[in-house]
């Protein structure tokens, strides 16, 4: 059995963090020990003492998961850029093999939910990407897709890249983090149908648009829970 899942997306701001936190809640309800991991974080929060924290960590905590920045986020940078540029500005060279080693150190009693940064081909260095890290870890993948006009192309390209790399895709999660899914012409439902038909990968959940989203509001998490439970 795998030590965890790798949660990636078709791009930035598609809802990976909420999906990761929601999955943590889903598994914890059955008594499973869950540890969310954000191995590389750019766009960090600067705390009053000058240290850095991950904005994703606040979401994980609000969902009820354990969060220790030093263990679960080994590489963190302040600039809100791609990881390779943020690391370069900090004078750090990101090595996906070393990142994977740090993630594997957390394997054990806890089931890991590893959230990537951005999409599959986001660069970690001049000659490696998030895909290299995913292959090095070898965890089954959950792909997060924002249900919008254009998502079919984004989804099928991402799925093809994952499949060609030999990675197992455990499922797809559709999201609407920025606006309601497009209902005109039945587009939202057709996006799901077509992606499933061509890719032969199942959409395991569809999280609706949650107006006035607040990760500290239990009612918002109830909507996430309902989507993942269905």
């Amino acid at each position: 059995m795998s030590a965890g899942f790798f949660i990636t997306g078709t791009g930035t701001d598609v809802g990976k963090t909420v999906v990761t936190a929601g999955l943590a809640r889903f598994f914890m309800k059955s008594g499973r020990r869950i540890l969310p991991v954000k191995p590389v974080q750019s766009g960090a929060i600067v705390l009053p003492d000058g240290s850095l924290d991950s904005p994703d960590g606040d979401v994980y905590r609000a969902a009820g998961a354990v969060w220790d920045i030093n263990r679960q986020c080994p590489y963190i940078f302040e600039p809100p850029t791609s990881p390779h540029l943020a690391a370069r500005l900090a004078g750090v060279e990101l090595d996906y093999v070393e990142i994977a080693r740090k993630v594997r150190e957390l394997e054990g009693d806890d089931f890991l939910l590893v959230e990537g940064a951005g999409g599959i081909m986001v660069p970690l260095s001049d000659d490696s990407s998030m895909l290299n890290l995913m292959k090095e870890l070898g965890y089954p993948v959950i792909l997060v897709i924002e249900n919008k006009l254009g998502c079919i192309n984004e989804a099928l390209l991402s799925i093809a890249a994952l499949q060609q790399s030999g990675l197992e895709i455990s499922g797809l999660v559709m999201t609407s983090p920025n606006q309601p899914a497009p209902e005109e012409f039945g587009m939202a439902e057709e996006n799901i149908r077509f992606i499933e038909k061509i890719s032969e990968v199942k959409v395991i959940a569809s999280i609706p648009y949650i107006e006035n989203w607040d990760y500290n509001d239990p009612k918002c998490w109830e909507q996430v829970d309902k989507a993942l439970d269905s």
Side-chain angles (χ1 to χ4, degrees):
M1 182 177 178
S2 170
F5 284 123
F6 198 107
I7 294 87
T8 189
T10 52
T12 300
D13 197 26
V14 298
K16 293 188 305 296
T17 302
V18 171
V19 170
T20 303
L23 288 171
R25 289 170 63 87
F26 177 82
F27 289 120
M28 286 189 296
K29 280 188 288 187
S30 63
R32 202 164 191 177
R33 290 167 53 100
I34 298 296
L35 199 66
V37 183
K38 182 76 175 185
V40 181
Q41 171 78 64
S42 52
I45 299 169
V46 182
L47 300 178
D49 64 1
S51 63
L52 301 179
D53 198 0
S54 165
D56 294 355
D58 288 339
V59 182
Y60 302 150
R61 275 191 292 256
V66 172
W67 179 249
D68 179 343
I69 184 71
N70 295 315
R71 296 183 67 233
Q72 293 158 255
C73 188
Y75 294 93
I76 185 166
F77 309 101
E78 182 181 350
T81 68
S82 64
H84 84 295
L85 179 56
R88 183 190 302 161
L89 293 170
V92 175
E93 179 76 19
L94 290 176
D95 180 345
Y96 69 89
V97 175
E98 178 64 13
I99 298 170
R101 185 189 68 79
K102 289 181 179 294
V103 172
R104 288 199 190 96
E105 288 178 350
L106 302 174
E107 294 179 355
D109 294 335
D110 297 309
F111 187 77
L112 306 185
L113 296 175
V114 184
E115 181 187 347
I120 293 165
M121 299 306 297
V122 164
L124 293 172
S125 67
D126 285 350
D127 55 7
S128 68
S129 69
M130 195 62 61
L131 184 60
N132 293 106
L133 174 60
M134 296 163 71
K135 290 170 62 178
E136 181 71 17
L137 285 170
Y139 298 163
V141 175
I142 294 175
L143 177 66
V144 181
I145 305 160
E146 182 178 0
N147 196 337
K148 62 177 183 178
L149 178 64
C151 75
I152 292 175
N153 177 67
E154 296 170 350
L156 294 181
L157 285 173
S158 297
I159 292 167
L162 292 168
Q163 291 175 333
Q164 289 169 10
S165 296
L167 288 163
E168 175 191 347
I169 306 175
S170 290
L172 313 175
V173 177
M174 305 297 291
T175 60
S176 299
N178 304 302
Q179 60 187 351
E183 295 298 337
E184 191 175 16
F185 312 117
M187 192 184 301
E189 292 79 7
E190 178 60 15
N191 286 341
I192 294 172
R193 186 199 71 82
F194 195 86
I195 290 168
E196 287 187 326
K197 179 179 185 296
I198 299 301
S199 70
E200 298 183 340
V201 182
K202 183 71 175 174
V203 172
I204 58 175
S206 187
I207 300 175
Y209 176 67
I210 302 173
E211 194 170 5
N212 300 317
W213 165 258
D214 179 355
Y215 57 74
N216 288 313
D217 185 348
K219 292 183 179 178
C220 291
W221 286 112
E222 288 173 7
Q223 295 185 65
V224 175
D225 294 342
K226 181 178 179 181
L228 293 172
D229 284 340
S230 61

